[in-house]
Amino acid sequence: MSTLLSLPLGASDGTLALQLAAMSNRHGLVTGATGTGKTVTLQVLAEGFSRLGVPVFAADIKGDLSGIASAGKTHPKIDERLAQIPLSDHSFEAFPTVFWDIFGQSGHPIRTTISEMGPLLLSSLLDLNETQAGILYTCFRIADDQGLLLLDLKDLKAMLHWMNEHRNELQVEYGNIAAASIAAISRRLLVLEEQGADEFFGEPALNIQDFLHTDFSGKGIINLLDATRLVHESPKLYCTFLLWLLSELFEELPEAGDQEKPKMVFFFDEAHLLFDQAPKVLRQKIEQVVRLIRSKGVGIFFVTQSPMDIDEDILGQLGMKIQHALRAFTPKDRKAIKAVAENFRENPELDTAATITELGTGEALVSTLDSKGMPSMVQRVLIAPPRSRIGPLGSDERNIIFSRSPLKGRYDTMIDRESAYEKLQDRAKRAASETPAPIKNDTPKRSRETAGEAFWKSAMRSVGSYLGRRLARGLLGSLSGRGK
């Protein structure tokens, strides 16, 4: 490995504390109570990675990270912090930023298709029970078998409606299909649509390579998702989107091996939402993705209030830990603080549990990985001030930066090409037109092949052909190895 690159983070006893960039794909954790400085720490880390030429993705939960696109200014509190920290090369500067917004209001819209999302993540998003999730898996299986593209919500709703109409024929091959389960899924889709998910599902779908650029000076692009509305109106969609994004990175990036710096760093803010009420199967998949994605050169930083918000199996994989202050108001709080302290490698000169409650704003307990991947002893660190602006951009400033985006026009207009909805409508019309009108006579009635039966027999003849080939899916159900 070449020379180790490092991130200036802050100072402890006058000595600069460094995070080795080569270890950043071993993931990290930033925790602390509200108002203790987590957002500024995230900003400092994002700046550091950008300066090293590493692209960054971060969600702007409170709307105050957008200032990273503008140079900071001198301020008495910043001057005071710099006087305490020996940062000889500190200067104010803006960082190259691309704004994203699922709703397309304050950034480039981000979309994926229903097929690319896959049944596992979609079942979690819709809070489906085991039976309902089984029906959704069946829906995807039938769509794959029949070559019907599920691109947007109307495709999925049309597919479920068709399954309901033909459930008697379908159950011969696919098992029982309960009308009540289809109705329950359809109702959940209506709720999801009201929350704005119809803006998220569709085309053009995001090309993950658009997150992996540097600017002309070699700085990594900071991709900033405006998540203020998303988290408040649909926290499930927020978490599902970020999980989908991780699965896309895992599926599309080649193996990287050991590198002097990561290919990309991904900040997962409000990470507790990821694990709240998540089914066991999804938790297992999350743990698997976190463990495997480091081989693709991607580092993940979870940001939340307490390490206890993170599943233990995932917590053990997070190499860098930055702990801001926690408050001990109740016996339960004190018990949690003791558990948090045990996550750090002990420093004989520091009472970790006591220090957690004494930290001021902008202070943190920090443990990093050394060049051999071993955790360092925990240190009390004063976090450096950002080089960019603390606080949000004004709307005019944001619009100017957005107007200069290199991705301008690439995702702005939604495309609605022929998919399951149109094909099912077309097949239904053709089947109806081919059904002969009934002949009135006195002869006994005989069973007649219905339009649905005719359609189903026609559809079944396609099995084994191109339409019958099923699509391969990756770890979290997104399509694996497919073209966009």
Side-chain angles (χ1 to χ4, degrees), residues 297-369:
V298 177
I300 305 171
F301 280 73
F302 293 96
V303 184
T304 188
Q305 291 200 9
S306 170
M308 301 299 101
D309 295 334
I310 309 295
D311 274 15
E312 188 174 347
D313 290 339
I314 293 177
L315 190 62
Q317 298 184 50
L318 308 181
M320 178 181 183
K321 296 182 174 68
I322 303 175
Q323 176 67 61
H324 288 275
L326 292 174
R327 307 308 178 199
F329 297 119
T330 67
K332 183 178 179 181
D333 292 338
R334 289 190 287 273
K335 183 177 180 181
I337 288 171
K338 182 179 179 182
V340 169
E342 292 173 351
N343 286 312
F344 290 97
R345 179 183 169 187
E346 185 178 356
N347 184 338
E349 299 181 2
L350 192 67
D351 185 337
T352 307
T355 304
I356 289 175
T357 64
E358 299 169 356
L359 295 169
T361 301
E363 283 190 295
L365 292 177
V366 177
S367 176
T368 64
L369 296 178

Side-chain angles (χ1 to χ4, degrees), residues 83-98:
Q84 298 172 285
I85 301 175
L87 293 175
S88 57
D89 65 339
H90 187 277
S91 60
F92 295 112
E93 58 181 305
F95 290 82
T97 306
V98 173

Side-chain angles (χ1 to χ4, degrees), residues 91-112:
S91 60
F92 295 112
E93 58 181 305
F95 290 82
T97 306
V98 173
F99 295 114
W100 300 88
D101 180 6
I102 281 181
F103 304 108
Q105 296 176 347
S106 56
H108 297 296
I110 297 182
R111 302 185 193 92
T112 187

Side-chain angles (χ1 to χ4, degrees), residues 122-276:
L122 198 56
S123 295
S124 175
L125 177 60
L126 296 172
D127 281 322
L128 302 184
N129 62 33
E130 187 175 345
T131 301
Q132 294 161 355
I135 295 296
L136 190 62
Y137 271 85
T138 301
C139 178
F140 274 74
R141 171 72 177 271
I142 295 171
D144 286 352
D145 285 350
Q146 296 304 312
L148 297 171
L149 292 175
L150 300 177
L151 301 181
D152 51 30
L153 287 179
K154 74 177 187 299
D155 288 327
L156 183 56
K157 290 189 290 186
M159 195 73 204
L160 289 167
H161 177 72
W162 182 84
M163 285 173 60
N164 190 48
E165 286 187 332
H166 301 279
R167 60 183 183 277
N168 291 333
E169 302 103 303
L170 291 169
Q171 68 184 11
V172 175
E173 181 173 354
Y174 297 100
N176 184 48
I177 298 175
S181 294
I182 292 179
I185 298 171
S186 298
R187 288 193 297 270
R188 301 285 178 86
L189 288 174
L190 288 175
V191 174
L192 193 63
E193 195 169 15
E194 286 295 316
Q195 295 174 342
D198 55 328
E199 301 287 341
F200 177 51
F201 293 109
E203 291 184 313
L206 174 70
N207 182 347
I208 209 71
Q209 295 297 325
D210 284 336
F211 279 173
L212 303 176
H213 295 299
T214 57
D215 73 352
F216 65 92
S217 67
K219 289 180 181 176
I221 298 293
I222 296 176
N223 298 279
L224 203 60
L225 173 71
D226 185 344
T228 51
R229 175 185 168 190
L230 186 61
V231 167
H232 288 97
E233 295 184 8
S234 184
K236 269 282 189 180
L237 181 58
Y238 166 72
C239 290
T240 305
F241 159 70
L242 292 186
L243 280 177
W244 164 78
L245 191 55
L246 285 177
S247 71
E248 288 288 285
L249 287 166
F250 176 80
E251 297 293 344
E252 294 202 13
L253 294 180
E255 292 290 324
D258 292 331
Q259 300 183 107
E260 67 174 9
K261 60 184 179 182
K263 288 183 179 178
M264 180 181 182
V265 172
F266 187 103
F267 289 93
F268 204 135
D269 205 354
E270 296 292 342
H272 69 278
L273 296 173
L274 177 61
F275 302 100
D276 288 350

